[in-house]
Amino acid sequence: MKLLTLPLGDAIALAFFLLCWFGYGAIARWLGRRRPSLISSVNVFRARWMRRVCERDSHIADAALLGNLLRGALFFASTTVFILGGLIALLPALGHVVSHLPHASASEPWVLEFKALVMIASFVYAFFKFTWSAWQYNVLSIIVGAAPQPAETNPTDFTRYVDNAAHIATMAGDSYNNGIRAYYFAIALLAWFIAPLALLAVTLIVTFVLYRREFASPMLRSLQRVTETR
């Protein structure tokens, strides 16, 4: 039986893609602990929010905010299911579709199917992240509903409750962010159907866009100004 070996150019492009995707996530977490980032700045407001939750009697506004966050995660989870269905349905006609792409390099059918499977795997990853984010926001809703009043508990237990609630909010946000990041890098995978060099180029562009938005965007500067003027 013939041994199927991924062409060298495609193998290098795939390795570079995976390195940028998961390597960027690790580097962003490392940098976020040492310099301001969009995620770390938002986490400051999550902590403030959880403290305000425990200081007020009415949680109507908090319930509305949590509902919006939960709906956002569920929206992307359901959208991902439709994308997966479309990709799976496209598999039988993939060669015909790719052959009509401008400047697309010739590839064996199994190579095209492998590329499609990698894209499917990226959206499966996104689906798990979005559903996990939705579950975490669901848990956070329960925690907000059970939030103690400062007068009802000692300061140590109150602070511990607030910190843990903020940590769960942060984890839910991180899961959501990882799902969105998977969408970004799935866009880069589209270029792989044209040529391995196209995947390399678009992966670099996506990584740069993510870095700029997280560490050098006007949104980050605005959040920093709000944080400093607390």
Side-chain angles (χ1 to χ4, degrees):
M1 183 177 64
K2 181 181 177 182
L3 179 64
L4 299 179
T5 304
L6 193 66
L8 180 60
D10 289 309
I12 293 173
L14 177 60
F16 181 78
F17 168 81
L18 294 174
L19 179 64
C20 286
W21 181 0
F22 296 103
Y24 173 78
I27 292 173
R29 287 191 297 271
W30 181 80
L31 283 177
R33 292 191 291 266
R34 289 161 175 79
R35 56 177 292 188
S37 71
L38 197 61
I39 293 176
S40 63
S41 298
V42 171
N43 287 341
V44 172
F45 290 95
R46 288 191 176 108
R48 292 184 186 178
W49 179 23
M50 290 302 107
R51 177 164 290 276
R52 299 295 184 273
V53 163
C54 294
E55 290 175 349
R56 53 180 171 243
D57 296 325
S58 176
H59 294 156
I60 296 175
D62 302 309
L65 291 172
L66 285 169
N68 287 334
L69 293 172
L70 180 59
R71 281 192 295 273
L74 291 175
F75 168 79
F76 275 105
S78 59
T79 301
T80 305
V81 172
F82 289 118
I83 293 174
L84 288 171
L87 289 172
I88 293 172
L90 184 63
L91 283 175
L94 189 60
H96 177 74
V97 173
V98 173
S99 66
H100 286 78
L101 293 176
H103 311 295
S105 58
S107 299
E108 295 185 41
W110 77 267
V111 175
L112 293 177
E113 292 174 0
F114 177 80
K115 293 178 181 180
L117 290 175
V118 172
M119 179 172 286
I120 288 172
S122 69
F123 281 109
V124 169
Y125 173 88
F127 174 78
F128 278 105
K129 288 299 180 180
F130 286 128
T131 53
W132 183 230
S133 176
W135 171 248
Q136 289 169 316
Y137 280 128
N138 183 54
V139 172
L140 184 62
S141 300
I142 297 171
I143 290 176
V144 168
Q149 293 293 311
E152 297 175 353
T153 183
N154 64 69
T156 301
D157 290 340
F158 178 78
T159 300
R160 186 183 298 114
Y161 195 97
V162 170
D163 291 343
N164 285 325
H167 182 60
I168 292 174
T170 297
M171 289 192 296
D174 287 344
S175 297
Y176 183 87
N177 184 60
N178 287 330
I180 293 295
R181 192 176 294 160
Y183 265 61
Y184 273 84
F185 280 100
I187 293 174
L189 283 175
L190 288 173
W192 198 14
F193 290 100
I194 298 176
L197 285 177
L199 174 60
L200 291 172
V202 179
T203 298
L204 281 174
I205 293 172
V206 168
T207 305
F208 173 76
V209 169
L210 288 173
Y211 174 83
R212 185 181 180 280
R213 289 187 175 183
E214 190 161 348
F215 294 99
S217 64
M219 173 68 76
L220 174 60
R221 290 192 290 271
S222 296
L223 285 176
Q224 286 182 275
R225 286 194 293 270
V226 174
T227 302
E228 292 168 357
T229 58
R230 181 179 184 182

